[in-house]
C-alpha cells in the first residue's frame, strides 16, 4: 500500500512540475511567439504552406474554421477506409494480412480520424504494417492535432479575438512544433526500454513447453509514443499497453502515464497565458484536479479490496484484485493508469477494465460520462466551460440577473449552444443502449449476463461517445450493428460538440466585455470553483445516475451480498 501510494505521488509530482513549462511553450507556439525550434521548423512549415496552397496570414472566423476542419477530416477518413480495404495490394504486408471487411473498415476509419481509436479488430492479427503506419499512426498525429487546434481556437474566442485563427496553420504547427519532436524523442526512449521498432515480420520461437509460438512485432515504439502523447489510445497489439512489447516494465508504464497527461494539463495553463486570465485557468485546473483525485481514490480502493466471493474460497484478502492485471505494474500504477486513460480520454489500457472490481469500474465509466476531467487536447476544458456556462446561468436565475462569464454576458443563444453540446453526449449513449436492448441487436456480443453485461454495453457506447476508445473487453464489437452504430456515435460525439462549441466561441468573441462590478460573481475563485463542481455533480448525477445504478453500483452490492453475475 505504501509503495503504491509513493509511486502515484511521484508521478503526480512530476506532472505538476511540467504543467507550467509545457503550457508556456504551447501558448508561445499558438500565439506566434518565438520558440527555440523556429530556426529549424519555420522553413518546414513554410514549405508545407506553399505545397498545400495555404495562406498562413489568412484569419478565419468560426464558420470558415469549422469548414476547413470538416473537409480535411473527411478527406483523411476516405483515405484511411481505402487503405484498410486494399491493404492486401499495398506494400509492407510481410504477414499477409487480408483486406479489412467493409463495416469494420468503416468503424476503424471513423475511430482513428476522431482521436477515439476504438478497436473492433485484433491489432496485430488484422492490419498490415502499411495500414498501421499510414492509417493508424498517421491519424494519431492528425486527429490529435485537430483536437488541439480546435481547443486553441476555442481559447482565442474566449479571449475576445474575432478571428479563431487559421485551422491549417494550427494543424501544421501542432504537428511540427509539439507532437513530432516529443514523440520522436520518447519513441527512442521506448526502444531503449525494450519496445520493438522493426519492419521485419513475425518470428517463430519455441515456448517453455516446447510449443511453436508466433511472435508478432513491428515499428511498435513509434505508435506507443504518439498514442499516449496525442491521447489517442489504440494499440499495435490487441492487449494494448498490457502487452510486454508495448509496455515492458514499470518505467515505461510511468512514462506512458506522464505522456497522457502532458498536453491536456499543459493546455489549461496555456489557456491562462493566452487569455491573460491565469487565476481563471488555475480555478479550472484545480476543479478538474479535485475530480481526478476523487476518482483515483475510488479506483485504488476498489482494486486493493479483494472480491468477497474469492475471499470466501480461501484466497488471501490482502492481495486485492489481481484478475486481468499485470503484476509488474502493481495495483497502484494500475489504478493510476485506469484513472489517467479515461480522465485524459486516451483509451490505452495496461489492465483489462472488464476485470476491475465494480467499485473501481465506476471511475473510468464516470469520467467518460462526465467527460470534463482534463480530457484530451481541449476536450476536457471545453466541456468544463459548458458546465461553467450552465452554472453561471443557474446562479443568474437564483439571484435574478443576467449571468456573466469571462467578462461577457451569457444570453439565451450561448446557453442553448452549451445545453445542446452537453445533451448530445447522454443522448448518444442512452439512445443506442436503449435501441440495442429494445430490439435485441447483436446481444450475443455481450459475454456476461445481468448488471455486468449491462455495464459492458454502457462502457462501449460511453467510450465511443466520449472519443476515449478504452473498452471493458468483455463485448464483441465486431458485428454489423456494433460497427455501424459505433461509427455513428463516434462521429457525432466528436464533430457535433466541436461545431457547437466553436460557434459558442465565435459568439463570445463578438461580445463586448462587461465592466466588473460588485454585483457580478467572479468566475476565478474558490466560490465559483465550488459552484462549478456542484453543477457538474448535480447535472451529471441527474443525467447518468440511473444507468450507473443498473450497472456497476448494482453489481457492487450484489458482489458483497455473495451473488455472482447470474
Amino acid at each position: 500500500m505504501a509503495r503504491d501510494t509513493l509511486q502515484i505521488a511521484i508521478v503526480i509530482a512530476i506532472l505538476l512540475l511540467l504543467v507550467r513549462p509545457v503550457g508556456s511553450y504551447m501558448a508561445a507556439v499558438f500565439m506566434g511567439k518565438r520558440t527555440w525550434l523556429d530556426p529549424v521548423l519555420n522553413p518546414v512549415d513554410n514549405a508545407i504552406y506553399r505545397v498545400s496552397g495555404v495562406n498562413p496570414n489568412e484569419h478565419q472566423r468560426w464558420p470558415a474554421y469549422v469548414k476547413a476542419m470538416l473537409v480535411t477530416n473527411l478527406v483523411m477518413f476516405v483515405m484511411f477506409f481505402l487503405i484498410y480495404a486494399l491493404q492486401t495490394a499495398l506494400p509492407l504486408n510481410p504477414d499477409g494480412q487480408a483486406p479489412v471487411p467493409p463495416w469494420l473498415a468503416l468503424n476503424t476509419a471513423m475511430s482513428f480520424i476522431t482521436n477515439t481509436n476504438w478497436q473492433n479488430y485484433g491489432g496485430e492479427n488484422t492490419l498490415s504494417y502499411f495500414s498501421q503506419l499510414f492509417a493508424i499512426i498517421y491519424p494519431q498525429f492528425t486527429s490529435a492535432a485537430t483536437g488541439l487546434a480546435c481547443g486553441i481556437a476555442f481559447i482565442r474566442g474566449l479571449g475576445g479575438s474575432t478571428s479563431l485563427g487559421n485551422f491549417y496553420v494550427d494543424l501544421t504547427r501542432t504537428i511540427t512544433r509539439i507532437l513530432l519532436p516529443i514523440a520522436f524523442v520518447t519513441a527512442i526512449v521506448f526502444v531503449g526500454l525494450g519496445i520493438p521498432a522493426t519492419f521485419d515480420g513475425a518470428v517463430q520461437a519455441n515456448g517453455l513447453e516446447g510449443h511453436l509460438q508466433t511472435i508478432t512485432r513491428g515499428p511498435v515504439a513509434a505508435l506507443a509514443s504518439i498514442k499516449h502523447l496525442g491521447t489517442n489510445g489504440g494499440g499495435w497489439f490487441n492487449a494494448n499497453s498490457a502487452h510486454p512489447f508495448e509496455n515492458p516494465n514499470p518505467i515505461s508504464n510511468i512514462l506512458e502515464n506522464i505522456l497522457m497527461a502532458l498536453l491536456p494539463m499543459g493546455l489549461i495553463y496555456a489557456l491562462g497565458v493566452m487569455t491573460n486570465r491565469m487565476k481563471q485557468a488555475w480555478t479550472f485546473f484545480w476543479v478538474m484536479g479535485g475530480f481526478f483525485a476523487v476518482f483515483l481514490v475510488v479506483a485504488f480502493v476498489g482494486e486493493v479490496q479483494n472480491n468477497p466471493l474469492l475471499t470466501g474460497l480461501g484466497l488471501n484478502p490482502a492481495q486485492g484484485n489481481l484478475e486481468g492485471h499485470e503484476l509488474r505494474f502493481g495495483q497502484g500504477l494500475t489504478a493510476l493508469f485506469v484513472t489517467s486513460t479515461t480522465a485524459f480520454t486516451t483509451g490505452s489500457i495496461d489492465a483489462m477494465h472488464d476485470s476491475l472490481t465494480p467499485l473501481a469500474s465506476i471511475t473510468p465509466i464516470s469520467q467518460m460520462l462526465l467527460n470534463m476531467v482534463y480530457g484530451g487536447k481541449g476536450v476536457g476544458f471545453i466541456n468544463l466551460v459548458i458546465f461553467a456556462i450552465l452554472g453561471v446561468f443557474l446562479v443568474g436565475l437564483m439571484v435574478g440577473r443576467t449571468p456573466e462569464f469571462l467578462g461577457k454576458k451569457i444570453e439565451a443563444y450561448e446557453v442553448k449552444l452549451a445545453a445542446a453540446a452537453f445533451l448530445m453526449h447522454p443522448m448518444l449513449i442512452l439512445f443506442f443502449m436503449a435501441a440495442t436492448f429494445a430490439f435485441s441487436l447483436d446481444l450475443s456480443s455481450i459475454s456476461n449476463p445481468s448488471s455486468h453485461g449491462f455495464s459492458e454495453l454502457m462502457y462501449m457506447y460511453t467510450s465511443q461517445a466520449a472519443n476515449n476508445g478504452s473498452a471493458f473487453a468483455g463485448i464483441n464489437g465486431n458485428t454489423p450493428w456494433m460497427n455501424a452504430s459505433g461509427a455513428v456515435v463516434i462521429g457525432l460525439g466528436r464533430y457535433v460538440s466541436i461545431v457547437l462549441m466553436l460557434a459558442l466561441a465565435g459568439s463570445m468573441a463578438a461580445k463586448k466585455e462587461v465592466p466588473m462590478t460588485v454585483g457580478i460573481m467572479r468566475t476565478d475563485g474558490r466560490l465559483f470553483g465550488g459552484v462549478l463542481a456542484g453543477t457538474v455533480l448535480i447535472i451529471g448525477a441527474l443525467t447518468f445516475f440511473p444507468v450507473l445504478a443498473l450497472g456497476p453500483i448494482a453489481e457492487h452490492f450484489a458482489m458483497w451480498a455473495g451473488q455472482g453475475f447470474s
Side-chain angles (χ1 to χ4, degrees), residues 479-559:
T479 67
W481 167 251
M482 296 299 182
N483 277 320
S485 63
V488 172
V489 171
I490 289 169
L492 293 179
R494 171 76 161 184
Y495 295 113
V496 171
S497 61
I498 285 179
V499 171
L500 290 174
M501 294 314 293
L502 287 182
L504 189 148
S507 176
M508 293 283 286
K511 291 177 177 289
K512 293 183 179 181
E513 191 162 341
V514 179
M516 181 63 66
T517 65
V518 293
I520 295 178
M521 184 182 71
R522 299 187 65 90
T523 61
D524 56 1
R526 286 176 291 182
L527 174 60
F528 182 73
V531 169
L532 181 54
T535 303
V536 172
L537 289 174
I538 293 171
I539 296 178
L542 289 174
T543 306
F544 296 117
F545 184 79
V547 289
L548 287 172
L550 292 172
I553 295 176
E555 186 184 352
H556 176 77
F557 286 114
M559 182 183 73

Side-chain angles (χ1 to χ4, degrees), residues 10-81:
I10 291 173
V11 174
I12 293 176
I14 293 173
L15 288 172
L16 292 176
L17 291 174
L18 291 174
V19 166
R20 182 168 183 169
V22 172
S24 298
Y25 175 72
M26 293 172 70
V29 167
F30 294 111
M31 293 174 72
K33 295 183 178 179
R34 181 175 176 80
T35 68
W36 59 279
L37 287 175
D38 284 356
V40 176
L41 294 179
N42 276 342
V44 176
D45 290 353
N46 292 331
I48 293 173
Y49 302 145
R50 284 196 300 271
V51 171
S52 58
V54 170
N55 178 8
N57 298 316
E58 178 187 358
H59 296 285
Q60 298 173 327
R61 299 177 70 87
W62 79 264
Y65 201 98
V66 166
K67 180 182 177 181
M69 182 272 294
L70 291 177
V71 171
T72 304
N73 277 238
L74 177 61
V75 171
M76 288 189 290
F77 167 80
V78 174
M79 181 178 73
F80 301 148
F81 179 87

Side-chain angles (χ1 to χ4, degrees), residues 111-129:
S111 177
F112 279 84
I113 195 61
T114 57
N115 201 232
T116 307
N117 307 98
W118 176 269
Q119 292 177 281
N120 279 339
Y121 63 91
E124 70 276 27
N125 298 315
T126 304
L127 298 181
S128 67
Y129 288 1

Side-chain angles (χ1 to χ4, degrees), residues 278-447:
M278 191 55 66
K279 191 175 179 181
Q280 181 71 69
W282 283 122
T283 299
F284 285 160
F285 186 91
W286 292 119
V287 169
M288 291 177 170
F291 278 97
F292 182 89
V294 170
F295 284 125
L296 175 58
V297 170
V298 171
F300 184 58
V301 171
E303 288 303 279
V304 297
Q305 288 185 344
N306 204 353
N307 186 329
L309 298 175
L310 298 179
T311 305
L313 298 176
L315 297 181
N316 182 4
Q319 290 181 336
N321 181 32
L322 297 178
E323 180 194 344
H325 291 51
E326 288 299 312
L327 299 183
R328 64 186 188 274
F329 302 143
Q331 287 156 329
L333 290 181
T334 298
L336 179 61
F337 206 98
V338 167
T339 308
S340 294
T341 195
T342 46
F344 303 111
T345 66
T346 306
S348 179
I349 59 170
D350 72 349
M352 292 299 103
H353 289 192
D354 197 40
S355 296
L356 297 174
T357 63
L359 179 62
S361 71
I362 290 176
T363 285
I365 293 175
S366 297
Q367 289 193 132
M368 293 187 299
L369 289 173
L370 295 176
N371 205 21
M372 47 63 62
V373 187
Y374 291 112
K377 296 81 44 217
V379 175
F381 91 86
I382 286 178
N383 288 330
L384 192 69
V385 170
I386 293 175
F387 284 110
I389 289 174
L390 295 177
V392 296
F393 174 70
L394 294 174
V395 171
L397 290 177
M398 289 187 286
V399 299
R401 62 172 293 136
T402 303
E404 295 90 9
F405 179 63
L406 298 181
K408 308 289 182 71
K409 284 190 176 295
I410 301 298
E411 298 174 299
Y413 179 69
E414 289 78 36
V415 175
K416 289 176 182 177
L417 287 174
F422 169 76
L423 289 173
M424 176 56 62
H425 186 59
M427 285 175 61
L428 288 172
I429 298 167
L430 301 178
F431 173 81
F432 281 95
M433 282 185 67
T436 302
F437 283 123
F439 299 105
S440 299
L441 299 170
D442 292 343
L443 291 184
S444 60
S445 296
I446 303 174
S447 60

Side-chain angles (χ1 to χ4, degrees), residues 210-287:
H211 300 298
L212 192 65
Q213 184 178 2
T214 300
I215 300 176
T216 307
R217 47 189 181 162
V220 185
L223 181 142
S225 59
I226 186 57
K227 83 164 180 174
H228 292 102
L229 175 65
T231 64
N232 290 285
W236 189 281
F237 300 99
N238 199 34
N240 210 280
S241 283
H243 195 289
F245 280 5
E246 211 163 313
N247 192 3
N249 52 57
I251 297 178
S252 65
N253 194 64
I254 289 174
L255 180 56
E256 290 181 1
N257 218 308
I258 291 173
L259 285 175
M260 281 191 276
L262 196 63
L263 298 185
M265 294 178 74
L267 185 61
I268 308 302
Y269 190 89
L271 163 70
V273 175
M274 295 180 68
T275 61
N276 196 29
R277 293 176 180 270
M278 191 55 66
K279 191 175 179 181
Q280 181 71 69
W282 283 122
T283 299
F284 285 160
F285 186 91
W286 292 119
V287 169

